Every structure is written in C-alpha cells, then in structure tokens.
Amino acid sequence: PRPLELQIGLYLSYLSSEALLRETRYVRNQIDAEFGLPLPPICIRDNLCIAHSGYKILLHGVEVAGYDKLWLGHVLCLNTGSVTEELVGEKIMEPVFETPGIAVREDRAEEAKSLGYLVVEPTAVIRTHLIEIIKKNITKFLDQSMVNTLINKVRDKNPDVVDDVFFMNNFSTAKLKTILNWLLEEGICIRNMNTILETIAEYLEETKNPIELMEKVREKLAYQFLPKLAGNNKVFHVIRVSQGLAEALAERIYYPQSKNELPYYALSPVENKTFDNSIRQKAMCMKEKGYEPVFLIISSLRTALSNSLRTRIGNWPCISDKELYSVSNDYTIVVEEELEVDEIKVNGSGSCCN
C-alpha cells in the first residue's frame, strides 16, 4: 500500500483533478518546509463505496480519517470569534479540529465573509486534514530508504562526515533513524542533516547513546527551532521546573533496556496524579496570561519530561537550560511560572535505573 492515499466519493470525483493535485503538492511542500521530510506523492483514488460527498485518508493502507459532508457547490463557514450575525445554513461539524461550522452554497460566500465567518473551500478542507494527519503520524513516513537518501545528500557535499560517523565510528543508520524520529516527534526540522551528522561525529567518542546524541543535536539546532517559541518580541515566557522538583525527578528517572525507547519518570500513582494536575494547572495559568506553555528543565531531565508530557498530557514544548543558553544573548527569558510538586520529594519512593 501507498504511504498516504486519499480516496474520494462519487460527487467529489467531479472536483478538478488539477485542483486536488495542486492541494496535495501544497501539502508535501508544507511538510518539507516544516519538518525537512520529503514525502512521496499522495495517491488520489475514486471510491464508489464511500459516501458520495465524502473522502477517506489511508496511511499505509489503513483508514485513519475521513469525512462525509463535503458537498460540492458549497463552502464551509467557521466562526472565528468575529461573527456579527449568525448565518442561516446547514449546521455541520468541521472534520479537522471538530469545531462547529455552517455549510452554505458557494454563491453565498461573500455574504458569509461580510458577517465575519472564515470561508473554507472543499479542497482546502481536504488539504488541512491531510496536513494534520501527517503531522500526527510524522514518524511513520521516515523509513530506512528515506534515511539513506538524506545521508546521500550530505555525502555529495561532505563525504568526510558520513565516513566518520558510519565507517570510522561504526554508527548504524538504524540508530540515526531513531534519533531523527525523536526529533520529528517534537516538531524539530531535520533538513539540516549536515549539522546533525557533524554533531553526532563530534560526540561519538564520548557516547554512542542515541538519547544523549539526540540532546546534543537539539542543542546545535536550538537556533533553528527556539525562535518559533519566542515570537516576534524575542522573549521566552517559560514554566521552569524548580530545582527541588528536578532533584526529585532525577531520582525517579527510568531508562528502558531498549535503546529505542525514551526515558520517563517512574512515579507512584499518587505522584503521577499530582504531577499531571500541577502541569495542567501551570499550563492553564500560562494560557490565561496569553502565552503557550513552554517548559524549561535541566538538560539531563529534558527528554524524560518531554516523553512524559507527550504520552500522558499534551505535546507541549520542553526545552533545556543548555538549549536556551545557546541563544540567550539574543533573547530575553521570563520565568512566568515555577513548577513545584510538594508530593514529589528527594529520597522518595521512586528509583533511578540506568
């Protein structure tokens, strides 16, 4: 099966093939720009067995998303908070972010815009849905063949670093794939493969642990991804993990035996509950202040915090002190909140396993 396939119903098959191809090209360009991941072409196929006004998105042959109310000749109108008067039309649920919308004939698009609605064309709905599905499953697109392609691009310009990493130090491409997928999971662009490989080469004499190497790569790429968290005013508004909590978490960090699994905090059920509640509370405080939650912690604990957040609470950015230090001359750092959990103390019941 194709890595990504779009199946469309009977009525949607009347959409301009050029329009759909243009949207799928846009999707691939968007993902390449954001993640540095060159996706293969997206297969578009008619499917008479699904709803005539619907579509399905398949990932490696498995259906992962779909929608059945994308009527031709209609547009989807969304209330973004600036609507002055309610629009009369068919009330439906927008498929990507599951927000309420209203479907009206396309000849009423200007009327909807004048009332403050965001008007979305059918092809734009499909485009947005594809992008979100790819982002949620980004690591499923990086196979060994693509890793080899990325390595070969570096080899053409900098063969010495490729030889250093894979031949002199006997570092496997499978381990590189693991590191790249970890970076992608946290939204880090992997386009700068030359810097990634040079960083790995620089630290291979110290460690071959993929987690430690991934953290070193992040520190080198900090200038690339951190500015997105600061905004135009060059100010980082962060939630800092307190020193006391950091010391307690260091005692509870658990490293799985498999080198392909990320560390996490081995907390008791009571500690887990209070830890999660405290994080959600601090995140809510940040949002009330108008800032997105960004967590700051010492570098040795960053991976475990990020992994714990992503698997249990939400994919909020976690940055380390070393990453922030690398750009501190150009940015201002404001600690808006400090994360402390009284129930998690040093010399608690957790264990540290290496």
Side-chain angles (χ1 to χ4, degrees):
R2 300 291 183 90
L4 194 65
E5 182 176 316
L6 172 67
Q7 295 185 358
I8 55 178
L10 176 63
Y11 295 161
L12 294 187
S13 66
Y14 291 101
L15 285 169
S16 165
S17 58
E18 178 57 35
L20 282 175
L21 289 172
R22 184 172 61 248
E23 296 294 356
T24 56
R25 283 196 298 267
Y26 178 93
V27 168
R28 294 172 64 207
N29 290 337
Q30 177 74 15
I31 297 301
D32 190 22
E34 187 170 345
F35 294 96
L37 198 62
L39 293 180
I42 299 171
C43 176
I44 304 174
R45 180 175 298 170
D46 296 343
N47 185 343
L48 302 182
C49 297
I50 64 177
H52 293 344
S53 296
Y55 63 84
K56 289 183 178 181
I57 299 174
L58 282 70
L59 185 63
H60 296 291
V62 178
E63 181 183 346
V64 291
Y67 192 53
D68 60 4
K69 294 183 179 180
L70 201 64
W71 299 311
L72 279 186
H74 289 69
V75 291
L76 181 59
C77 306
L78 303 176
N79 185 348
T80 58
S82 56
V83 170
T84 57
E85 182 182 334
E86 186 173 351
L87 188 67
V88 177
E90 182 75 21
K91 293 184 178 180
I92 58 177
M93 191 66 71
E94 182 269 340
V96 186
F97 304 105
E98 297 184 347
T99 55
I102 298 175
V104 299
R105 296 190 313 273
E106 58 186 9
D107 58 10
R108 297 181 60 199
E110 291 303 320
E111 175 192 353
K113 291 178 183 178
S114 67
L115 297 177
Y117 283 90
L118 173 65
V119 176
V120 186
E121 300 286 340
T123 52
V125 173
I126 296 174
R127 177 187 70 207
T128 305
H129 211 163
L130 282 170
I131 289 174
E132 291 304 310
I133 290 298
I134 293 170
K135 286 183 177 181
K136 288 179 181 178
N137 298 275
I138 192 68
T139 59
K140 293 182 174 66
F141 295 96
L142 184 67
D143 57 20
Q144 197 61 56
S145 175
M146 189 176 294
V147 172
N148 293 335
T149 299
L150 295 173
I151 293 171
N152 288 332
K153 287 182 179 179
V154 178
R155 192 193 305 274
D156 293 339
K157 296 181 179 179
N158 190 358
D160 291 343
V161 72
V162 174
D163 291 343
D164 192 359
V165 171
F166 300 108
F167 298 104
M168 300 297 291
N169 285 284
N170 198 29
F171 194 73
S172 71
T173 57
K175 287 183 179 179
L176 175 64
K177 177 174 175 283
T178 297
I179 291 173
L180 294 179
N181 270 327
W182 286 340
L183 293 170
L184 289 171
E185 278 185 339
E186 295 197 63
I188 307 298
C189 180
I190 62 171
R191 176 176 292 103
N192 195 346
M193 281 296 300
N194 187 70
T195 296
I196 292 173
L197 290 181
E198 284 192 343
T199 303
I200 291 173
E202 182 180 349
Y203 289 97
L204 272 177
E205 288 189 5
E206 295 181 18
T207 179
K208 289 191 176 181
N209 185 311
I211 296 170
E212 295 176 4
L213 291 172
M214 185 263 290
E215 287 297 320
K216 294 298 183 183
V217 169
R218 281 182 57 100
E219 290 166 21
K220 286 287 186 179
L221 296 178
Y223 72 93
Q224 169 189 297
F225 64 85
L226 283 184
K228 300 174 185 177
L229 304 178
N232 297 327
N233 57 2
K234 291 194 172 184
V235 177
F236 287 104
H237 301 273
V238 301
I239 303 169
R240 182 174 61 192
V241 176
S242 71
Q243 182 178 346
L245 178 58
E247 291 174 356
L249 290 175
E251 292 184 337
R252 292 159 170 80
I253 195 167
Y254 177 78
Y255 292 92
Q257 291 184 349
S258 171
K259 298 299 182 182
N260 292 332
E261 295 182 43
L262 292 171
Y264 57 88
Y265 301 126
L267 305 176
S268 70
V270 173
E271 290 173 337
N272 261 325
K273 183 177 180 180
T274 54
F275 186 57
D276 292 355
N277 288 340
S278 297
I279 287 173
R280 290 191 179 97
Q281 183 181 15
K282 293 299 182 182
M284 187 179 299
C285 290
M286 289 290 281
K287 291 184 177 181
E288 288 174 353
K289 294 179 180 180
Y291 308 122
E292 285 300 309
V294 177
F295 291 84
L296 173 64
I297 194 169
I298 59 175
S299 60
S300 59
L301 301 177
R302 194 211 66 82
T303 306
L305 178 62
S306 176
N307 187 34
S308 297
L309 287 179
R310 187 169 58 254
T311 55
R312 297 206 314 267
I313 303 176
N315 198 12
W316 290 319
C318 296
I319 60 179
S320 75
D321 53 346
K322 290 183 179 180
E323 292 169 1
L324 205 52
Y325 179 77
S326 66
V327 298
S328 59
N329 290 336
D330 301 317
Y331 291 83
T332 302
I333 303 163
V334 177
V335 178
E336 296 286 346
E337 300 286 339
E338 188 157 68
L339 181 64
E340 293 182 286
V341 183
D342 293 337
E343 289 81 0
I344 302 177
K345 300 181 182 298
V346 175
N347 298 322
S349 60
S351 61
C352 178
C353 304
N354 290 285

